[in-house]
Amino acid sequence: MLVLDSPGYLLLLAAPLALATFSLWRRGLVVAMVGRCLALVLLVIALAQPEWRQSSSTSELGLILDTSNSITAADRAIEANWLRTAAAHASDTGPVLVIPFAGSASAVTVRGPLSQAQIAQLLTPRRDGFATNLAEALRLAAGLVPPGTRLVLLTDGEQTVGDAETAALDLAAARLPLDTVLLHHQANDTAITRLTLPPLSSAGSVLPVQITVSSTRPVTATLTLRLDGQNLGSQPVGLLAGNNPYLINLPAQAQGWHVLHAAIQAPGDTVPENNALDAVTDVSGVPRVLVVAEHGGASTAVSVFRDSTLDITALTPAAMPTTTGALARYDGVVVDDVPATALNARQVSALDGAVQRDGLGLFVLGGSHSLTQGHYSQTGLEKMLPVLSDTPASLQDGNVALQLVLDRSGSMDNLAGDVPKIVMSREAARLASDFAIQHKDDLGIVAFDQASHILVPLTKVSAAQKTHVNQVIAGMFSDGGTNIFQALQTGLQQVSKSSAPYRHIILMTDGRSDPANYLPLLQEAQQLKVTISTVGLGPDADVQLLHYMAALGKGRFYYTTNAQDLPRIFAEEARLAAGSAAVTGKIGVKIAGNSPTIRSLGAGPLPALSGYTATVLKPDAVNDLETNVQGRKPDPLLARGHYGLGRVLVWTPGLENTWSASWRKAEPAFWSDTLRWTLRGPSVPIYAPALAGGSTPDAIAIDTLKNSGTAINLQRLAVDVRSPAGGQVRLPATQTAPGLYEASYTFTAPGVYTATVGLLTGGTLASGLLAVPYSSEYLPGAPNGALLADLSARTGGASVQEPSQVITARANPAGSLALWWPLALIALIVFLGAIVVERLWRSADDARI
């Protein structure tokens, strides 16, 4: 459009009009006078400074203004100043695009100054002010302005929805630089930012309540807790600037849903919207526990755990269930000082499956018949535990003289379990020798057929001798008959030379020997304190003799028809060769971990123990309690770990003996905490409702795959929602992923909502309480300047502070063309032309005269 910057000069057009009138009177001079008049008109119009300005609905400046609930009054005043300045210059610089945003964004074009009321209206907090969607605001700006437009974003940088970084890449691709203004006025604010309860719990359990109170300044505030509407008490708390965490233990209430409400009050707090939070928990019935003990219901463990508000069933090892289905009725199993040999393969397999796949809790108590002393080494029971049933090196190094007496008769070439017996005998001997070398023990090897052959004289073997010993073992061949008596006699002579405190013989044979009187030889072994274990291999082994020798030799008897069992048997015997794994005396105890199993233990000295069963902690397990004996490495006392889905705990001192008598009296709450930690948690209903949408929930989810492990698809579900105010609405649930359904719902206020899930055709499948927090916009915290700096860097913009850095008045805004100088040039040309025409006309007149 045409614009005149100095329209007053148009009054001078009266002069050319007068000249035009005069020219009509002097017809001879018409052409010349018309030319002069035209030149004068053009000159006058040029003096009026005409401009041709291109009309456009686009703007050269875009203001993107955060109006979410996190923007303080002081920051809103800064936004108002930017908006006022931009609007005042809009007539000079072109229209300004204003984009107010919170959870969503909209756009307004401003072409001139705004009133205070109009500014206030643009900056009024939006209905969706509970969220900050920077990404949507940036995408809207990119779609409305041409390349080269200068965009200015005013925000505190705390986005709660969307991905502003990705939206900034779109701005950069469109050649739209983004300048940013960091709004950073923090109010005096004290808020509860965290309140957690276990979502599921059981009757009689202790509920750990985690509370975090955040404050922008040091202040003394009052913390109040209410449970199901009943006041639990108020307490003054001294807060530091930042996060102040608290842990409170509450006893679980009766079966059903319960609501915990926490509130904080502080003087000078200017943001009351974040002063309270709710948490909910669903309490199930009393957990059921199976105690497996030699004495059944008369065991000490039963009396100890019955004080823990648990439903206890006691069985002997022989009566323990043999299927996972039978164990499914229990939440946990206690194995109380039971040897591995007391449970058959079916029972161990059922226990393994129930713990690993079904999440059954397992608590194993030590004692004189359990763990290392109960032959757990390399068994199915040991596989589940957080400890190995080994004697620790600190208790064993250099303590043992191990004498192997191995049958190498001709029958050892025969197969037993699809492998030659002599091959597995060599492997078993190698494992035992490696163990002796590792622990700096004495080792001797005697091989026998009809005669005895000393392959390795008893000596303290070192790592340097390992290769030689393995070569000797590898060269052992089979031939000849069987003379067990002479072999045992030779082995006893060898091992008696050692001064080690524990001297042990492992005798292995697959055959029978000539009759002999073994009693004097075995009595001599007893006098020399040499223990003897025997291994019978195959159906031809003299089982009766071997059992007799092990009984009088105070060792262990093994029988197998599979030669592949030999390495396992020898490895276990090597571990047990150090004698009893029971450590007795005054044993100090110290805390080594941090878990709910030991939360009842005070900060003072812990009671001493009088003994425990030595074990070795597995690499992936955790020690909560360990021994504290001067000059000795700590051993596990309370070790925990996971086996599949199940939690497993081991208490090595046990309960049946007197080793932990002081603990049974001094720490009564300890036993409930330990056992309850292992128990299988209450199951989640398949159609249980839950909040969806992260920190700003906008839907109710039903995740059948997460709840039950099975995706249930193509269900026609509905959710009935009742708000804290009592309003109720029925919503259809749409399947959005395998097994996952969502019902869209806008939570208009924080509080506890009731959600009931059913079929569209009727009926109830599950119900629950949903604790909806206040909007994340009200979370206290420092502005996110790092995000804004990143957005500016990605788009080629800058961080700015004042409107003058961006908004300036300009005389020739882009899109305008000054017309005065071409008009003046044309006027000059026309004027000169008129003079030429006039002179030519006069010359012609003179010639006619």
Side-chain angles (χ1 to χ4, degrees), residues 149-321:
T149 301
R150 193 160 190 181
L151 298 175
V152 183
L153 169 65
L154 288 83
T155 179
D156 57 9
E158 291 296 338
Q159 66 172 341
T160 61
V161 181
D163 184 358
E165 291 90 340
T166 300
L169 295 177
D170 295 337
L171 291 179
R175 292 182 289 124
L176 293 170
L178 179 69
D179 297 331
T180 56
V181 180
L182 178 63
L183 304 176
H184 55 81
H185 288 88
Q186 281 189 294
N188 287 335
D189 190 12
T190 302
I192 293 184
T193 55
R194 183 187 189 191
L195 177 66
T196 62
L197 271 175
L200 298 170
S201 53
S202 57
S205 61
V206 176
L207 304 180
V209 180
Q210 294 179 305
I211 306 174
T212 299
V213 181
S214 297
S215 181
T216 58
R217 70 203 194 282
V219 68
T220 298
T222 301
L223 179 63
T224 302
L225 293 180
R226 294 203 310 269
L227 184 63
D228 297 331
Q230 301 297 316
N231 192 4
L232 296 180
S234 298
Q235 179 178 343
V237 288
L239 303 177
L240 301 176
N243 292 330
N244 301 265
Y246 300 95
L247 176 63
I248 301 172
N249 291 323
L250 293 179
Q253 303 300 302
Q255 186 171 352
W257 284 93
H258 299 275
V259 179
L260 180 67
H261 179 84
I264 193 74
Q265 289 183 323
D269 185 11
T270 59
V271 187
E273 293 87 352
N274 58 19
N275 288 356
L277 282 176
D278 295 299
V280 297
T281 186
D282 185 13
V283 179
S284 63
V286 176
R288 306 186 69 177
V289 177
L290 171 63
V291 175
V292 180
E294 193 66 37
H295 304 294
S299 70
T300 306
V302 170
S303 62
V304 168
F305 293 129
R306 275 205 172 122
D307 294 337
S308 304
T309 320
L310 298 167
D311 182 359
I312 302 291
T313 298
L315 295 175
T316 62
M320 179 178 164

